[in-house]
Amino acid sequence: MSRLFEPYKLRDLTLRNRVVVSPMCQYSAVDGSPNDWHRVHLGSRAIGGAGLVIAEATAVEARGRISPGDTGLYRDEHIAAWAPITRFIREAGAVAGIQLAHAGRKASCALPWDGGLGITPEQGGWAPIVAPSALAFDDSSITPRALAASELPDLIASFALAAQRALAAGFELIEIHGAHGYLLHEFLSPLSNQRSDDCGGSFDNRIRLTLDVIAAVRAVWPERLPLLLRISATDWADSGGWDIEQSIELARRVKPLGVDLIDVSSGGNLPKVKIPVGPGYQVPLSARIRREASIATGAVGMITEALQAQGIIEAGDADLVLLARELLRDPYWPMHAAKQLGAEIKAPLQYGRAW
Ligand SMILES: Cc1cc2nc3c(=O)[nH]c(=O)nc-3n(C[C@H](O)[C@H](O)[C@H](O)COP(=O)(O)O)c2cc1C
């Protein structure tokens, strides 16, 4: 039996294998509502055999969207738009998960194919955008307004409300987006958080918002269903940034709050850092968190080969592997990988004659 294609249990859910569709923005929603594009995009990856399909960074507040094309769960109307998508994913044998996000200082940007730069309300964006401190991401970015301490309870509540809507829409797994330089990561890193209240300064203060969001989501998310946290395990800064040591400590702190697995990414908070990109380059970060914080992890980043993915699981470097771009190139990657590894994988009945 191939380890990659062994089922994996997370609370009361059993994933049919360890291959996960990594969350990927499609920039194709209208006013937060997903549509046929999302149904076909996510649905075809469920048909392709992945165990878990995590829908893209989905905003918990309208102003927390990266772009006007981001999906949302900030209004009750979004529930009905997501419901047929989760139903289809489940009927195709995969678990439907969703990433809950707030873009912080990286909100209100043009669609990537329109340049991706910050846009004003006149250009179809919105203002102000908010962050821990009034520090722009880079020279060409819009400067955010620093959130007042009195605004944080509403922000935390918006994550919990979105989680309740996710449940109503049929999602069975939530991933909180604490990575890639978006709001929660901005609070974690001393390079983007220069607050002087109890959410800035010390490590305990910088992680406070993330812990509060997790606790609020866990309070409304059923015990039987899993909660994941995606982090950037390092800013890749030479000094003074968020790093792997802090990530390990954060992982230790979130486990008792009910986080079941850390999805280990990196970077995204600083414009000018050298990232040692290459096959599996973030896997060592996952391996350290898994071993040193004794928590399940997912590895992501330039995982493209069946043997490579299986090796990560066999080495104990991660419990799940997440693929993004390779699954855009080939939604049937899990089926091809299973064949290569000699694993049994059930094709959809409709496709049986081909496999
Ligand atoms: C089109 C696209 C959209 C993405 N959107 C998200 C997102 O919504 N949330 C997130 O955490 N990462 C996002 N990512 C990052 C991926 O989930 C993944 O971490 C990254 O692409 C590295 O994996 P890969 O080498 O397999 O592509 C996106 C990547 C791509 C290519």
Side-chain angles (χ1 to χ4, degrees):
M1 181 67 190
S2 151
R3 289 292 308 278
L4 188 61
F5 287 94
E6 266 176 13
Y8 183 67
K9 208 166 149 39
L10 271 169
R11 298 213 177 209
D12 283 3
L13 291 184
T14 302
L15 313 186
R16 60 185 162 181
N17 59 53
R18 316 285 189 111
V19 181
V20 181
V21 180
S22 198
M24 280 181 276
C25 290
Q26 298 297 297
Y27 307 101
S28 301
V30 177
D31 211 2
S33 284
N35 50 50
D36 281 352
W37 175 264
H38 304 83
R39 175 141 53 149
V40 174
H41 161 68
L42 296 167
S44 53
R45 276 141 197 90
I47 291 175
L52 166 64
V53 177
I54 306 183
E56 66 193 77
T58 295
V60 301
E61 289 188 340
R63 68 176 175 182
R65 289 170 298 162
I66 303 165
S67 78
D70 283 30
T71 53
L73 273 172
Y74 50 83
R75 281 211 308 264
D76 286 344
E77 296 90 277
H78 296 143
I79 297 171
W82 281 111
I85 300 172
T86 63
R87 189 163 59 235
F88 188 96
I89 294 171
R90 194 168 47 252
E91 283 170 8
V95 166
I98 188 158
Q99 189 181 51
L100 297 185
H102 191 300
R105 67 176 176 176
K106 290 170 103 176
S108 187
C109 291
L111 308 184
W113 44 86
D114 291 334
L117 294 176
I119 46 175
T120 61
E122 296 72 40
Q123 296 167 312
W126 50 92
I129 56 172
V130 295
S133 303
L135 297 167
F137 173 71
D138 66 10
D139 297 342
S140 63
S141 302
I142 295 169
T143 301
R145 172 174 75 71
L147 280 161
S150 59
E151 293 177 282
L152 298 181
D154 277 352
L155 187 91
I156 295 162
S158 70
F159 272 91
L161 263 171
Q164 286 174 307
R165 293 188 186 111
L167 187 69
F171 286 105
E172 295 187 290
L173 176 147
I174 283 179
E175 174 169 280
I176 293 172
H177 199 346
H180 302 167
Y182 298 115
L183 188 72
L184 296 180
H185 183 183
E186 290 161 18
F187 270 84
L188 294 176
S189 173
L191 299 176
S192 42
N193 179 347
Q194 296 182 355
R195 298 175 72 89
S196 51
D197 62 5
D198 69 355
C199 287
S202 67
F203 172 80
D204 282 358
N205 283 354
R206 283 180 282 112
I207 68 170
R208 191 179 310 279
L209 181 65
T210 298
L211 300 191
D212 286 351
V213 164
I214 291 166
V217 169
R218 246 300 158 219
V220 299
W221 190 241
E223 273 289 312
R224 67 189 162 82
L225 296 178
L227 178 63
L228 278 50
L229 173 66
R230 174 168 271 200
I231 60 169
S232 283
T234 172
D235 282 340
W236 299 109
D238 288 336
S239 63
W242 179 257
D243 58 19
I244 180 65
E245 306 298 337
Q246 295 173 76
S247 294
I248 292 165
E249 186 54 29
L250 175 66
R252 290 189 186 122
R253 303 272 189 105
V254 300
K255 194 178 167 183
L257 298 179
V259 169
D260 301 296
L261 182 142
I262 308 285
D263 173 7
V264 185
S265 189
S266 76
N269 199 31
L270 306 172
K272 290 183 202 124
V273 285
K274 266 220 185 98
I275 303 181
V277 177
Y281 71 105
Q282 294 172 148
V283 174
L285 301 168
S286 162
R288 279 201 62 188
I289 291 173
R290 188 169 186 272
R291 292 193 186 101
E292 296 178 40
S294 302
I295 190 165
T297 62
V300 66
M302 294 192 74
I303 300 168
T304 56
E305 302 293 332
L307 283 170
Q308 176 197 19
Q310 170 138 289
I312 291 166
I313 305 291
E314 279 175 345
D317 289 344
D319 299 270
L320 299 175
V321 290
L322 293 93
L323 282 70
R325 288 164 295 180
E326 188 62 17
L327 279 167
L328 293 187
R329 291 184 278 263
D330 178 10
Y332 299 106
W333 189 93
M335 297 232 211
H336 294 133
K339 202 169 169 196
Q340 192 185 332
L341 298 171
E344 286 275 324
I345 187 168
K346 257 200 232 150
L349 294 176
Q350 295 91 331
Y351 288 5
R353 288 174 67 184
W355 294 91

